[in-house]
Amino acid sequence: MDNILIVDDEKAIADLVELYLKNENYGVFKAYNADEALSVVESEKITLAVLDVMLPDSDGFTLLKKIREKYFFPIIMLTAKIEAADKITGLTLGADDYITKPFDPLELTARVKTQLRRFTKYNAGAPARNAGEYEIRGLYVSVSSHKCLKNGAEVTLTPIEFDILCYLCDKRGCVVSSEELFEAVWGEKYLDSNNTVMAHIARLREKLGEPARKPKYIKTVWGVGYTIE
């Protein structure tokens, strides 16, 4: 059984989400602050977390950062804020999805299912696209084993980051638009105002130790998209 952690200081919201998720046969743990959430993560086998940005003892971004130090299960940020900067911050720190309040519990449940499908595929070793291996100037990516090495040292990536890297490697030498990359990796329709791809590319570059101005691997073709040459 997949165990979902709900972190929200509004008990009514946590209870509502719990009701819908249990109806889909998920195990549910609830926490009302960051300390409780970290305790649950360390003591239980959590497969996905829904984090509220506004918490009484911390904020969701700080909690997200702490969780990402050790764990790589999918994380959906839940917040009343709608500013693009907040969304980019969460995605850059390692969040996989973002939904704003008020929300439809059915939509949240659908997003949970989507993230868990991707995570299950990742851990099962299923290829993101075509099974293969890529070697690019000290960077080694194996689709079948889901490993990424840079100069022999393993780079730990989230499922989405790995899928992005694999897709770009598979399209090596071609420029991939944000729209194509989003629809291939997320499997959803791309919106013009969507900054999700940019935030994940920034996070991926950071993990690869790429300089912002002159990246060695993932390069930006302004006004067109991204490429690995």
Side-chain angles (χ1 to χ4, degrees):
M1 177 186 290
D2 289 313
N3 291 322
I4 315 298
L5 171 62
I6 305 166
V7 186
D8 198 311
D9 62 336
E10 296 184 61
K11 188 176 184 300
I13 292 179
D15 289 346
L16 178 64
V17 175
E18 177 186 29
L19 179 65
Y20 276 80
L21 292 178
K22 281 191 172 181
N23 192 49
E24 296 294 332
N25 297 316
Y26 293 121
V28 176
F29 292 88
K30 294 183 291 185
Y32 304 109
N33 57 57
D35 285 342
E36 288 180 3
L38 288 174
S39 178
V40 172
V41 168
E42 292 172 358
S43 62
E44 305 293 342
K45 187 177 180 181
I46 300 300
T47 46
L48 182 144
V50 179
L51 308 183
D52 187 17
V53 169
M54 304 300 292
L55 296 171
D57 58 341
S58 181
D59 65 81
F61 298 137
T62 300
L63 176 58
L64 168 63
K65 191 173 181 180
K66 287 182 179 179
I67 291 175
R68 279 289 178 253
E69 291 174 358
K70 297 181 180 179
Y71 305 95
F72 297 94
F73 51 74
I75 295 177
I76 299 174
M77 302 301 292
L78 179 64
T79 179
K81 292 187 175 182
I82 58 173
E83 289 85 350
D86 289 318
K87 182 175 182 179
I88 292 173
T89 297
L91 294 173
T92 301
L93 289 174
D96 297 279
D97 203 353
Y98 204 100
I99 191 168
T100 56
K101 299 177 182 178
F103 62 92
D104 183 343
L106 289 175
E107 180 185 358
L108 177 58
T109 302
R111 295 196 184 198
V112 166
K113 290 180 178 179
T114 297
Q115 293 300 328
L116 287 176
R117 279 197 300 269
R118 179 179 291 114
F119 189 60
T120 299
K121 180 188 75 173
Y122 177 85
N123 283 312
R129 301 188 75 245
N130 298 316
E133 297 181 350
Y134 307 95
E135 292 188 47
I136 305 171
R137 299 186 300 281
L139 183 67
Y140 170 77
V141 181
S142 172
V143 177
S144 59
S145 64
H146 279 266
K147 284 190 176 181
C148 175
L149 305 176
K150 181 183 177 185
N151 298 325
E154 186 167 357
V155 180
T156 304
L157 303 176
T158 65
I160 284 182
E161 291 164 354
F162 189 86
D163 281 358
I164 290 173
L165 183 58
C166 284
Y167 193 87
L168 290 174
C169 286
D170 194 49
K171 295 282 189 175
R172 184 178 179 181
C174 301
V175 179
V176 179
S177 68
S178 293
E179 179 179 0
E180 177 184 345
L181 193 54
F182 183 85
E183 293 184 358
V185 174
W186 278 264
E188 300 175 9
K189 185 66 178 176
Y190 180 83
L191 301 176
D192 290 340
S193 60
N194 197 321
N195 294 305
T196 302
V197 172
M198 180 179 66
H200 277 85
I201 290 289
R203 180 67 172 173
L204 185 52
R205 282 173 171 162
E206 180 182 342
K207 288 188 175 183
L208 293 175
E210 295 249 69
R213 294 183 178 276
K214 292 184 178 181
K216 180 179 179 181
Y217 301 110
I218 304 175
K219 298 182 179 180
T220 300
V221 180
W222 295 109
V224 184
Y226 304 95
T227 184
I228 290 182
E229 299 175 343

